[in-house]
Amino acid sequence: MSNKHEFQTRVIHAGSQADPATKAQITPIYQTTSYVFDDVDHAARLFALQEFGNIYSRINNPTNDVLEKRLADLEGGTAALAVSSGHAAQLTTLHNLLKSGQNLVAAKQLYGGTINQFNHAFKQFGWNVHWADAKDNDSFKRAIDKNTRAIHIESIANPGGIITDIEAIARIAEQAHIPLIVDNTLASPYLIRPFEYGANIVLHSLTKFINGHANALGGIIIDGGNFNWSKDDRYPILKDPNQSYGGLEFHKALDNIAFAIVCRALSLRDLGACLSPFNAFLTLNGLQTLALRMQKQCDNALRLALFLRQQDAYVSWVSYAGLKDDPHYSLAQKYTPKGAGAVFTFGIKGGHEAGKKFVSNLKLLTHVANVGDLRSLVIHPSSTTHSQLTEEQKITAGAGPDVIRLSVGIENVEDIINDIQQAFENL
Ligand code: PLP
């Protein structure tokens, strides 16, 4: 698929072709664990990475391959690796960058589950986190020390709807020679393509907007191909000879796809968080309508944010970067002019108890721990997704006691508004 085609075309066609074996138009589900080698020399070449090809579905699978190629194309990266969930994408990425005793600098404004993963699970590996503030770019510079090996931000932060200044943080990362990882889950490449602003690695929870139908978990790591892993000795997994691949020097041998290949050849092989081809199939199916869904969801979100703004009796504040007087409006204009995403928060008058009652009163919006579905969703983050955080962490992550998070779907917007209206009136 040529890069000359527009996004709306590539989202349907990139990376796919008629199935070579059957001419099936739709990418088949290659529900197989293993692949027959041509002969022993062929097998040996595949195992030594002298030739790319299918070995075993923990490492590669033809259905997943189409999804990987499509996302690499849509984000403008060089190569991609699909994994079992967004969390697995984060684990797999950092596994190749950090050793025990080293640290990553991360924005405080992240999905609550990511804050937990970084604070707890990763600490067990001896990986430390230095928290920075997505609203204060210089805080990233201050948080970097000689042991920092990665910077992690979300392009649009979950749940607060904050727009992160990717370009400014990428400059800081470049000066410090540290890769910038951008979780682009809430924006999707339809709204923001972080590589255009200097990011080095893009991650997604495929579970959200990319799939859009809430029927499969998945994650993806996309290599920007724009980081020099051999400039100094900080990234030995990429630079040094690897004993488990006969002394292969990944960066030297694989150049601008080295990071994606390291994640596959080492982390998928050894950590095993592979994506089921059935989930890849469902994700590919959903992905085809991303451009249509995302635009409609952004349009509905803006309309809903404007409606909520007028509900003084029930609503104390609305945080949506698409509103002209929102503090993130100018960043939204720069990074996401087509719309400020479909996930945002508002404060309900009456705090924690009113929040819980409001959620119970809704009839059309469903109460689930998810975002990015084509259905409109609601949650009270303080008692659910962010409940494991301290009160202070909740507030900095945009998940205080009065916060309601909406993920706006593609339904008729008047129906969504009417449901919210009746939920307010029945408080
Ligand atoms: N990143 C963001 C921004 C998320 O919202 C989520 C989940 O909600 C994740 C990562 C983790 O993804 P998954 O649930 O697929 O592991």
Side-chain angles (χ1 to χ4, degrees), residues 83-395:
V83 291
S84 57
S85 68
H87 262 22
Q90 290 164 186
L91 168 66
T92 306
T93 299
L94 292 171
H95 188 244
N96 293 305
L97 302 178
L98 266 70
K99 278 193 183 151
S100 179
Q102 297 178 338
N103 67 72
L104 77 147
V105 168
K108 285 190 271 197
Q109 296 85 352
L110 299 177
Y111 159 59
T114 300
I115 296 176
N116 261 329
Q117 188 191 39
F118 289 3
N119 266 339
H120 301 291
F122 287 0
K123 286 255 161 77
Q124 291 181 28
F125 301 141
W127 304 345
N128 300 310
V129 193
H130 294 181
W131 295 107
D133 186 348
K135 296 177 186 168
D136 171 8
N137 298 335
D138 279 346
S139 69
F140 287 84
K141 201 184 279 180
R142 293 194 296 274
I144 294 171
D145 68 15
K146 66 179 186 355
N147 290 320
T148 304
R149 293 293 180 273
I151 299 180
H152 180 103
I153 57 174
E154 289 178 4
S155 51
I156 301 181
N158 178 5
I162 288 164
I163 312 287
T164 309
D165 193 347
I166 304 170
E167 195 163 33
I169 299 168
R171 256 197 312 272
I172 293 169
E174 192 182 8
Q175 277 159 11
H177 189 57
I178 295 166
L180 174 65
I181 303 166
V182 179
D183 179 338
N184 200 28
T185 300
L186 257 59
S188 89
Y190 176 72
L191 294 180
I192 303 179
R193 279 178 295 283
F195 293 135
E196 291 172 5
Y197 302 102
N200 305 107
I201 297 164
V202 168
L203 306 181
H204 281 276
S205 165
L206 297 172
T207 321
K208 316 298 174 188
F209 291 96
I210 299 287
N211 171 304
H213 295 68
N215 55 19
L217 265 100
I220 201 152
I221 301 157
I222 304 156
D223 189 346
N226 55 357
F227 192 84
N228 182 0
W229 303 106
S230 309
K231 188 174 170 191
D232 53 33
D233 293 331
R234 283 191 268 182
Y235 300 99
I237 294 181
L238 284 123
K239 187 182 175 204
D240 293 350
N242 187 286
Q243 297 320 323
S244 71
Y245 275 101
L248 182 75
E249 294 168 44
F250 276 93
H251 186 213
K252 200 169 176 185
L254 295 152
D255 194 23
N256 68 353
I257 58 169
F259 189 75
I261 301 294
V262 154
C263 289
R264 183 187 301 284
L266 301 180
S267 302
L268 262 198
R269 185 193 65 178
D270 299 343
L271 298 179
C274 55
L275 181 72
S276 141
F278 183 58
N279 280 13
F281 173 83
L282 291 173
T283 306
L284 275 168
N285 210 35
L287 175 58
Q288 299 174 102
T289 55
L290 175 70
L292 297 173
R293 281 187 282 111
M294 204 73 211
Q295 190 59 60
K296 176 74 174 153
Q297 288 178 264
C298 287
D299 295 347
N300 279 357
L302 178 59
R303 175 86 171 73
L304 200 57
L306 290 166
F307 161 79
L308 288 167
R309 252 301 158 69
Q310 291 158 355
Q311 307 306 305
D312 290 339
Y314 310 106
V315 173
S316 40
W317 52 266
V318 179
S319 170
Y320 184 59
L323 294 173
K324 287 207 166 85
D325 55 355
D326 188 273
H328 292 94
Y329 183 74
S330 61
L331 282 175
Q333 291 300 293
K334 168 174 173 173
Y335 286 105
T336 176
K338 291 201 281 275
V343 177
F344 69 94
T345 51
F346 68 92
I348 190 150
K349 287 189 173 161
H352 195 87
E353 286 313 306
K356 282 166 59 181
K357 182 99 202 311
F358 169 76
V359 170
S360 319
N361 286 351
L362 289 163
K363 297 189 170 103
L364 175 66
L365 278 77
T366 42
H367 180 204
V368 297
N370 194 23
V371 294
D373 189 354
L374 48 71
R375 295 158 196 83
S376 290
L377 316 174
V378 66
I379 203 158
H380 180 229
S382 170
S383 55
T384 54
T385 49
H386 288 63
S387 60
Q388 301 95 332
L389 306 186
T390 63
E391 287 308 303
E392 196 194 332
Q393 282 175 330
K394 282 182 190 175
I395 290 165

Side-chain angles (χ1 to χ4, degrees), residues 25-26 41 177 259 272 340 389-390 404 406 410 423:
Q25 184 182 21
I26 302 301
D41 291 336
H177 189 57
F259 189 75
L389 306 186
T390 63
I404 301 289
L406 297 173
I410 63 169

